[in-house]
Amino acid sequence: MIPPCDPSILEHNPQFKRLYENLTISLLNPDASTRAHSASPARTAVEEELKECQTQNAKKRIKEQMLRQLAFAPDSNLPAECHDNLAIITLYLETPSSAIEITTPKPETEPKKPDEALTLLAPDIEAFYTNIPAFILPLSKALSSAIQDLRALSTTNTDPASGPDADVPAPQHSNHNARARARDRRVRTSMAPVPPLSSQLQARVRLLRHTQLSELPVARRKMAATAAEVVAARARVLERTVVILERAKHGALARATKAKAEHLAVVAQGLEGKLEVTKLEIAATLYTPETLAALARYRQHLRQTKERLQHRRKMTIQELRAYGDVEVSDPVTDVDVDEGSFADIARRYGVLAREVEEVKMEIARLEK
């Protein structure tokens, strides 16, 4: 097959375009065969024989592939012994003869021995021939499924009868004539002769080749333009990212901010050191040896005063105990104090004061 050529190449090279069109239209067939002797009877016979051989080879390969699919497919609905037998036969058919036959040269006078592989596989081959009726239905189903898949691949949506609107039911309010016309159209469509699968596949290949030659390069160019735009956008994003990083983290402004922060930290440490030095200087100014000596003497004076007060308190408590009417608590000797003793003393003092006043008034009355 002649390889396709990009239309843009043909547009930019007029001489190559003329050469390409001459080769593809006048001199060569689509399969790259020459057109010079296409009408020769001998060539036609050879081509027919070649097509027949190619057809036979294709049929052989299809059968081998279908047998392999049946042998190794889990849903082929074959017994286990049929699976094993079919797998052995499939492997034998797919193995080239050069891998089975002995390649050592033998003298021509030596009689030809039977094939050892055939002798070894004789029971399996006989079992295969016996099980052929069991293989017919699964093989037919597999071939039908493959043909349907190929027809689905070869079918295009250009046919209005096979389009998505062909199976849409008519509205309920349509009349009888419209339904009859639709039924007749479906009958004519179903009775129309089905084109051969080879022609359908050939048309599909031509359509795909046309798409490859005309639409695919345009799509590639559009994709290349889109990719260029994406790359440009990515470059802009990277540029913006670099600018942001330059400003925020790795740039001159970020480095200046970081240096300023470090400078301020050093200044703060210096101020803290100065404050400590000032504190020590103030302490050295306030707490001179004379001040420390005066504070020590004052502390000694306070201690002595406290001792004298404690001694006087103790003596006072002992003196109060001497009266016998009062119980005083001494924190030193842990003596309990009567909570009502001072109130009793005040009450007695009041009684005595009233008696003294009465005596004074009586004396004054008598003197008159």
Side-chain angles (χ1 to χ4, degrees):
M1 180 178 289
I2 301 175
C5 186
D6 192 348
S8 60
I9 298 177
L10 299 178
E11 292 176 1
H12 291 84
N13 298 276
Q15 296 181 358
F16 179 73
K17 180 179 180 180
R18 288 194 296 270
L19 175 61
Y20 184 80
E21 290 178 352
N22 186 25
L23 287 175
T24 56
I25 297 175
S26 302
L27 299 180
L28 299 178
N29 293 317
D31 58 353
S33 60
T34 181
R35 296 176 183 266
H37 306 286
S38 58
S40 176
R43 181 179 179 83
T44 304
V46 172
E47 288 180 354
E48 293 295 334
E49 185 178 358
L50 179 60
K51 288 182 180 179
E52 185 67 23
C53 293
Q54 290 176 349
T55 303
Q56 294 295 332
N57 187 24
K59 289 181 179 180
K60 178 183 176 183
R61 289 182 176 275
I62 291 172
K63 292 176 183 178
E64 291 178 357
Q65 186 66 25
M66 291 296 104
L67 289 176
R68 180 180 179 83
Q69 182 177 350
L70 289 178
F72 297 101
D75 55 348
S76 59
N77 298 325
L78 291 176
E81 58 274 8
C82 293
H83 271 289
D84 298 338
N85 179 256
L86 192 57
I88 293 172
I89 298 301
T90 302
L91 292 176
Y92 174 72
L93 293 176
E94 292 181 352
T95 304
S97 58
S98 60
I100 299 176
E101 296 178 355
I102 301 175
T103 58
T104 55
K106 296 181 181 180
E108 297 179 357
T109 58
E110 184 178 353
K112 188 176 181 180
K113 296 181 180 180
D115 191 356
E116 296 181 358
L118 292 177
T119 304
L120 182 63
L121 297 176
D124 296 315
I125 295 174
E126 184 178 357
F128 174 74
Y129 283 120
T130 305
N131 295 327
I132 283 179
F135 299 150
I136 293 176
L137 183 59
L139 185 62
S140 300
K141 290 183 179 179
L143 289 173
S144 301
S145 177
I147 291 174
Q148 291 177 2
D149 294 339
L150 290 175
R151 288 190 183 278
L153 290 175
S154 63
T155 303
T156 59
N157 295 327
T158 57
D159 188 6
S162 61
D165 297 335
D167 297 333
V168 176
Q172 295 182 359
H173 61 273
S174 61
N175 54 18
H176 178 71
N177 295 330
R179 288 197 297 269
R181 285 195 299 270
R183 184 171 60 253
D184 294 340
R185 185 169 58 253
R186 287 195 297 269
V187 170
R188 287 195 301 271
T189 303
S190 61
M191 294 178 63
V194 179
L197 181 59
S198 59
S199 61
Q200 293 182 358
L201 290 176
Q202 188 175 5
R204 184 64 173 170
V205 169
R206 284 198 301 268
L207 180 61
L208 292 176
R209 187 180 181 189
H210 178 266
T211 303
Q212 182 182 8
L213 292 175
S214 59
E215 299 179 4
L216 188 59
V218 177
R220 285 178 178 174
R221 286 194 293 270
K222 291 182 180 179
M223 185 179 295
T226 305
E229 294 178 359
V230 171
V231 171
R234 186 172 181 271
R236 290 194 296 270
V237 171
L238 290 177
E239 182 180 358
R240 188 62 180 173
T241 304
V242 170
V243 171
I244 293 174
L245 291 176
E246 181 72 19
R247 291 180 179 178
K249 188 174 181 180
H250 302 291
L253 180 61
R255 290 195 297 269
T257 305
K258 184 178 179 181
K260 187 175 181 180
E262 292 177 354
H263 172 69
L264 292 177
V266 173
V267 171
Q269 291 178 359
L271 291 176
E272 184 178 1
K274 288 182 179 180
L275 289 176
E276 292 292 335
V277 172
T278 305
K279 180 180 177 181
L280 293 176
E281 290 178 353
I282 293 172
T285 304
L286 293 177
Y287 298 102
T288 59
E290 294 80 4
T291 305
L292 293 176
L295 290 175
R297 289 193 298 271
Y298 185 68
R299 188 182 299 109
Q300 184 67 23
H301 171 70
L302 291 177
R303 189 180 297 111
Q304 293 175 359
T305 303
K306 182 179 179 181
E307 290 177 355
R308 286 197 303 271
L309 290 175
Q310 288 179 354
H311 180 69
R312 288 179 61 185
R313 184 174 181 275
K314 186 176 181 181
M315 295 301 295
T316 304
I317 291 173
Q318 290 179 359
E319 185 177 354
L320 290 174
R321 285 178 180 176
Y323 289 100
D325 295 333
V326 181
E327 293 182 359
V328 182
S329 174
D330 187 1
V332 180
T333 57
D334 295 333
V335 179
D336 295 335
V337 179
D338 187 4
E339 294 180 358
S341 59
F342 291 101
D344 192 11
I345 292 172
R347 182 179 58 78
R348 291 182 180 182
Y349 178 78
V351 172
L352 291 175
R354 284 195 301 272
E355 290 179 355
V356 170
E357 290 294 332
E358 290 177 357
V359 171
K360 287 182 178 181
M361 291 176 62
E362 186 67 26
I363 292 172
R365 187 177 62 81
L366 292 175
E367 288 179 353
K368 292 179 179 180

